[in-house]
Amino acid sequence: MSFIYSSPTPSPGIVATAEAASRMPAEWDTHQGTWMAFPPPNDTFGEAGSSTLDQARAAWTKVALTIARYEPVTVVADPRDASTARQWLGDGISVLEVPLDDAWIRDSGPTFVHQPDGSLAAVDWIFNGWGAQEWAAWDKDRDVARAVAGQAGVPAMSSALINEGGGFHVDGEGTVLLTETVQLDPGRNPGATKESVEAEIHAALGTTKAIWLPRGLTRDYGEFGTRGHVDIVAAFAGPGTILLHRQDDPAHPDHKVYQELRAALAGQTDAQGRPLRIIDVPAPTALKDDEGFVDWSYINHYVANNVVVLCAFDDPNDAIAAGILERAYPGRTVELVDARNIFAFGGGIHCITQQQPAAKGDAA
C-alpha cells in the first residue's frame, strides 16, 4: 500500500516519503471550517417528498446552523437538491453542488492533514460503502473527497486503504485509535494485517502508535451498521485522555462491550509514552427503540472552534454528559442538539461532520 500526492485535478503525482510526512491535527485544534452533506433521497432517508427525508434534513440542518454560529460551514448537496438545500440552510451557509449517494461526510469526505510546511492536504481513502454492503451505494460518494479537496484548494492524497473517517480517531500527537473489525474487515481490506494497516495509517496521518480496540457497539453489527466505527465508542479529548462509552445496564449487550473495551485500554500508553486517562461517559438511560437495543452515544460529538456539539436524546443523562464534556474541553461551550433522528438513520453528529483545520500559519 502506498500514498500518492496529486492535485485536485488529475495530474502526475509523487510518492510521499517519511521525510515529508503529513500529520492530522486533533479535532480540537483550530478549524478553518466544517463540511457537511445534505441528505438526498435514497433508501436510507426516503424518497423525495417523504416525511422521513424531511426529518433527516431538519436534523442535519439543526447541526449545521449550530456549528455555523462558531465557524464557517459548507454543505455538499447533490445538484438536484441544491436549491432545496439553500432554502433549508439559509444564506449563512455555503452550498457546494456535488453528486451524492448519501450524507455521511465523515466517511465519504476527505481527511485533512497538515503538510510539513503547515499547509493543508486531503487524504482520499477508498470508500466502498462500509465494506461493500449490499444496501449501500457509493458510485458517487467515492468521488466526494476529491471534490471537497478541489473546492478547498488543497492537494489530494490517494490511499490504497479502504477506510472511513469514523473508523479512526487521533490525538494530534502521534496516537490513533482503530477497530479490528473495521480496517481488518474482509469486505474492506481482505488479507490486511495490523502491521500493513498501521503502515498505511501512519503514512497518511503522521501517527506512530495505533491502539486497537477489538470491536464497536453491538448495533453497529446489524444489517445497516458500519461494523465497528470507533467514533461512537471512544474518542480522544486531549493528549493522553480518552472518552469511553459506558453502558451501566447489564440488560444491554453493550455493558459487556464496555467492559471488554475498558480492559483493552487499561495499561495502554500513547505515542508520547503517557499512560492513558480514561473518562467514562455514561450512555443514555434509554435501552431500546423500535429496532432493538439502541447505540445512542455521547461519544459521537463534534468539536469545533469554541464549541462542542453534543448529541442529545431527551434523556436524564444528557446533562451528565454535558458536564463531563465541559470539563474535558475547558473553555468551550457545550451545545446539546437532539440527535435521535440522526441515530435513527444510522449515525450521529460526528458522522455527519468533517473538520477542515486551519493551515498552521493561520491557526495562531
Side-chain angles (χ1 to χ4, degrees):
M1 295 180 176
S2 62
F3 287 86
I4 304 296
Y5 284 97
S6 65
S7 65
T9 53
S11 66
I14 59 171
V15 177
T17 65
E19 290 76 23
S22 299
R23 179 176 289 260
M24 182 182 180
E27 192 170 310
W28 54 84
D29 282 2
T30 305
H31 294 184
Q32 183 173 329
T34 293
W35 290 86
M36 296 182 64
F38 191 68
N42 64 14
D43 290 342
T44 298
F45 302 123
E47 61 187 17
S50 66
S51 60
T52 55
L53 181 59
D54 283 348
Q55 289 168 4
R57 289 174 170 177
W60 266 245
T61 296
K62 177 63 176 176
V63 172
L65 294 175
T66 300
I67 298 170
R69 297 203 299 268
Y70 297 88
E71 65 182 57
V73 176
T74 303
V75 174
V76 175
D78 192 274
R80 61 184 167 170
D81 301 319
S83 61
T84 303
R86 293 184 176 97
Q87 293 172 10
W88 277 85
L89 296 162
D91 295 334
I93 293 178
S94 300
V95 173
L96 174 66
E97 297 186 27
V98 175
L100 289 178
D101 294 305
D102 223 317
W104 309 100
I105 203 164
R106 174 68 53 179
D107 296 340
S108 60
T111 297
F112 290 98
V113 295
H114 283 139
Q115 299 189 93
D117 64 358
S119 63
L120 290 182
V123 179
D124 177 17
W125 312 103
I126 298 174
F127 180 71
N128 78 337
W130 305 278
Q133 299 197 54
E134 291 183 359
W135 55 268
W138 61 92
D139 286 350
K140 299 174 184 176
D141 279 357
R142 64 187 175 189
D143 297 323
V144 168
R146 283 191 171 267
V148 169
Q151 179 66 20
V154 305
M157 186 168 67
S158 297
S159 170
L161 189 71
I162 296 174
N163 196 25
E164 306 97 35
F168 59 88
H169 207 274
V170 302
D171 66 353
E173 296 191 6
T175 319
V176 59
L177 290 173
L178 302 171
T179 313
E180 293 177 11
T181 56
V182 174
Q183 285 80 21
L184 301 181
D185 175 16
R188 289 177 167 97
N189 300 295
T193 64
K194 286 185 177 180
E195 291 74 21
S196 66
V197 168
E198 287 181 21
E200 189 80 347
I201 290 283
H202 294 337
L205 304 181
T207 49
T208 57
K209 179 172 184 177
I211 297 175
W212 289 86
L213 298 182
R215 56 163 298 140
L217 297 185
T218 301
R219 185 151 169 171
D220 212 7
Y221 296 90
E223 181 182 1
F224 301 110
T226 71
R227 301 173 182 163
H229 271 187
V230 74
D231 69 349
I232 199 170
V233 69
F236 286 108
T241 301
I242 288 180
L243 301 173
L244 181 65
H245 178 81
R246 188 184 80 203
Q247 175 54 252
D248 290 324
D249 196 317
H252 196 301
D254 286 336
H255 178 67
K256 290 184 178 179
V257 173
Y258 160 72
Q259 293 175 323
E260 184 179 0
L261 298 182
R262 198 64 156 77
L265 291 169
Q268 292 269 14
T269 58
D270 66 10
Q272 305 301 318
R274 294 173 292 224
L276 293 181
R277 180 170 70 107
I278 303 170
I279 301 174
D280 290 342
V281 183
T285 60
L287 295 182
K288 291 185 175 183
D289 62 10
D290 293 340
E291 302 297 325
F293 286 105
V294 298
D295 58 352
W296 294 357
S297 172
Y298 300 111
I299 303 302
N300 200 266
H301 57 278
Y302 179 60
V303 184
N305 293 339
N306 301 314
V307 68
V308 177
V309 186
L310 177 61
C311 300
F313 304 96
D314 192 24
D315 189 275
N317 281 356
D318 289 356
I320 294 173
I324 292 172
L325 267 65
E326 283 175 352
R327 295 187 291 275
Y329 301 103
R332 280 182 161 86
T333 301
V334 174
E335 295 266 14
L336 284 159
V337 177
D338 194 327
R340 286 173 292 179
N341 277 340
I342 304 175
F343 272 80
F345 291 113
I349 289 174
H350 196 255
C351 305
I352 68 173
T353 52
Q354 181 64 262
Q355 69 271 15
Q356 180 178 333
K360 283 185 178 178
D362 300 329

